[in-house]
Amino acid sequence: MSEDDKERTVELHYEGGVLKLPVFTGTEGERTIELKTLLGSTGMTTLDPGFGNTASCSSKITYIDGAAGILRYRGYPIEDLAVGATFLEVAYLVIYGELPESGQLKEFSDKLRENADIPADMGTLIDAMPRNGHPMSLLASAVNTLAAYYDDSVDPSDENQVELATIRLLAKLPTIAARIYRNSIGEKPIAPDDSLDYVENFIRMTFGDNAPTGNLGDLFNKAVGMLLVLHADHELNCSTATVRVVGSSQADIFASVASGVNALSGPSHGGANQAVLEMLEGIRDSGTSIEDFLERVKAREVRLMGFGHRVYKNFDPRSKEIKVLASQILDHDDNPDELFKLALKLEAAALADSYFTERKLYPNVDFYTGVIYRTMGFPNNMFTVLFALGRLPGWIAHYREQLHDPAFRIARPRQHYIGSAERRYPGQG
Ligand code: ACO
């Protein structure tokens, strides 16, 4: 807090008096009232369902201006990173705070290659999991067990252990995700290949000899890399907030990230990319018109998946980049992808309808990702796993940042109790 900040206050007038509360100003001028003294001074708490108005920490990682459609990692605009940076550069930036110099990037990338294998026992464990189970459920379970396989990197108070766990998570998640996918199609796992880069290796471990080669292969590598970059962090979203909450109890980073995977799986969060594709397929297969579908949305029978966002009340800047990518991959004059065409029409119809514009509902990051992943050959239930691979640097960065936050306390919200007043168990009074 700067001296300047200390002088800024707001006054809360309540029955018992007036409480002065400090106001902090963030890098971009956004202002936050600190409520630390509220309960002690007034006996009152605040009620903020969904934490829509609550900053639970100070953070230096990601800046979002939802009204202006701005997203920056460590100050760098997402538009620059999406076209100019590799996923590993962005992962390094998000976690360590600065873009890597070439030597640092090589060292980082070498460490990830060296650690990409998983223990044979862990492979057997993953192979024994239900093959038809949802990959997000299997991924969360597998990430949780990393703490058991690597109990030399579970101590949050030891920086070297946290660093080792960081490398292990980043290195092994693609290997685990690809193995889960191959099990689901009854194919043998493919070991990591340390001659390939991070994204290429993941695609190779997933599709093996069916991975596209030549120009198409290059295009797919670039597209997956860009999608991972676009997902790398998004400040205190549901899964990242979950990672912080779990980590605040001093739980290890594997347990915290596994919790993030679980939070991401829900259709209101990362699971929306799967839900969007199922919605598009449903519209196509049922023969419903777009107009009729939107009427059902407005009647609140269904949600328009991939639309709306807690923070963006204007275009999600990620969705703009993804739409461009989708049209590069799917919009061939001779044979445009039918679900992409449908998505374009659905978007246009929703944006021409006052129900959506009045509520500031625009396409979010998930609206076009599914159609891209589908055309690459990923099944619908793997889309959210790809999101998790992208979001991993963000989860790690927030976990680590929290460990060094001087204001850090265990996350323990209050409640507004509206249940029964005291009553006695029969026969006890
Ligand atoms: N379709 C139809 N109506 C919607 C939608 C939608 N997708 N999203 C919000 N609304 C409506 C609400 O019904 C509400 O209307 P009302 O004021 O008349 O009651 C209004 O818009 C405000 O919506 P809230 O639910 O208050 O918005 P909130 O910020 O709580 O929810 C969320 C955000 C969960 C993303 C929501 O927009 C949604 O469910 N979208 C669809 C799922 C989705 O795409 N999720 C991915 C989000 S991005 C991410 O997590 C990676």
Side-chain angles (χ1 to χ4, degrees):
M1 184 182 18
S2 70
E3 286 307 307
D4 190 34
D5 282 338
K6 274 187 196 156
E7 286 162 22
R8 293 173 196 263
T9 53
V10 291
E11 287 184 348
L12 176 74
H13 294 251
Y14 65 106
E15 277 173 12
V18 178
L19 178 66
K20 284 194 173 185
L21 295 162
V23 177
F24 302 159
T25 306
T27 309
E28 299 293 337
E30 69 283 15
R31 299 171 80 191
T32 304
I33 303 169
E34 193 197 57
L35 296 178
K36 219 155 68 179
T37 57
L38 181 71
L39 178 61
S41 305
T42 69
M44 290 188 280
T45 56
T46 53
L47 180 63
D48 186 18
F51 312 120
N53 299 283
T54 299
S56 65
C57 62
S58 302
S59 179
K60 293 181 178 168
I61 302 169
T62 288
Y63 174 70
I64 300 176
D65 179 338
I70 291 172
L71 168 62
R72 299 180 197 136
Y73 302 156
R74 303 282 188 183
Y76 293 98
I78 192 65
E79 293 81 0
D80 291 3
L81 296 170
V83 294
T86 65
F87 177 62
L88 283 198
E89 280 179 283
V90 169
Y92 188 101
L93 170 72
V94 167
I95 295 170
Y96 301 108
E98 295 296 336
L99 283 168
E101 289 170 9
S102 64
Q104 291 170 317
L105 185 60
K106 181 173 181 319
E107 193 188 335
F108 183 53
S109 158
D110 287 348
K111 280 189 200 161
L112 297 184
R113 288 173 210 266
E114 285 158 20
N115 283 277
D117 266 323
I118 54 171
D121 278 5
M122 186 177 186
T124 311
L125 181 78
I126 295 171
D127 297 346
M129 290 181 183
R131 291 179 178 223
N132 298 330
H134 196 288
M136 284 297 277
S137 158
L138 308 186
L139 182 68
S141 309
V143 173
N144 233 342
T145 64
L146 284 172
Y149 287 104
Y150 296 105
D151 63 358
D152 59 343
S153 54
V154 292
D155 181 355
S157 66
D158 181 334
E159 281 192 21
N160 293 330
Q161 291 200 27
V162 174
E163 176 58 21
L164 189 54
T166 296
I167 296 296
R168 285 171 169 164
L169 274 165
L170 287 166
K172 293 176 200 308
L173 231 71
T175 313
I176 295 169
R179 189 162 188 138
I180 288 170
Y181 167 71
R182 292 194 69 79
N183 280 342
S184 75
I185 57 165
E187 294 286 349
K188 285 200 161 40
I190 296 172
D193 177 345
D194 64 10
S195 71
L196 301 177
D197 79 19
Y198 191 83
V199 173
E200 269 182 302
N201 188 33
F202 169 64
I203 293 178
R204 167 86 194 150
M205 287 190 291
T206 305
F207 296 118
D209 291 339
N210 294 328
T213 51
N215 288 345
L216 190 62
D218 292 344
L219 182 62
F220 278 20
N221 286 338
K222 190 181 136 221
V224 172
M226 189 199 270
L227 288 167
L228 297 183
V229 165
L230 291 169
H231 286 85
D233 191 44
H234 212 234
E235 48 117 311
L236 272 280
N237 58 88
C238 177
S239 56
T240 305
T242 300
V243 170
R244 278 187 176 258
V245 168
V246 175
S248 81
S249 73
Q250 301 290 328
D252 66 71
I253 191 168
F254 300 115
S256 305
V257 167
S259 308
V261 174
N262 281 319
L264 188 73
S265 70
S268 293
H269 189 16
N273 55 14
Q274 176 179 345
V276 169
L277 206 87
E278 287 166 357
M279 172 186 75
L280 294 172
E281 287 170 342
I283 296 173
R284 178 198 60 192
D285 297 344
S286 64
T288 314
S289 69
I290 286 179
E291 293 68 31
D292 286 349
F293 180 77
L294 290 182
E295 286 309 315
R296 289 187 57 216
V297 173
K298 292 192 276 183
R300 294 168 194 269
E301 288 171 33
V302 286
R303 281 216 155 188
L304 176 54
M305 300 310 286
F307 255 66
H309 197 276
R310 171 60 60 78
V311 179
Y312 294 118
K313 300 303 174 194
N314 192 326
F315 262 89
D316 177 339
R318 303 167 300 175
S319 81
K320 281 190 184 170
E321 299 295 325
I322 291 171
K323 188 173 171 184
V324 172
L325 189 65
S327 56
Q328 283 168 3
I329 296 177
L330 304 166
D331 201 7
H332 314 292
D333 288 343
D334 45 340
N335 185 21
D337 182 88
E338 53 167 354
L339 290 184
F340 179 54
K341 269 195 329 191
L342 183 58
L344 287 171
K345 282 189 191 158
L346 189 56
E347 178 193 352
L351 294 179
D353 188 318
S354 59
Y355 175 94
F356 298 94
T357 49
E358 277 166 12
R359 289 171 176 76
K360 300 189 181 355
L361 300 171
Y362 294 91
N364 60 47
V365 67
D366 285 324
F367 194 68
Y368 287 107
T369 46
V371 286
I372 301 176
Y373 289 142
R374 170 181 166 270
T375 210
M376 291 175 171
F378 289 104
N380 296 5
N381 64 5
M382 278 295 287
F383 299 168
T384 317
V385 170
L386 285 143
F387 192 151
L389 294 182
R391 183 55 52 87
L392 181 61
W395 290 333
I396 293 172
H398 282 269
Y399 180 92
R400 293 172 62 126
E401 184 179 63
Q402 177 169 265
L403 292 175
H404 297 283
D405 183 349
F408 165 72
R409 299 170 82 192
I410 188 168
R412 204 308 185 182
R414 295 284 172 157
Q415 65 166 357
H416 170 49
Y417 179 69
I418 53 169
S420 298
E422 186 183 17
R423 49 187 170 164
R424 303 306 302 267
Y425 183 77
Q428 296 300 310

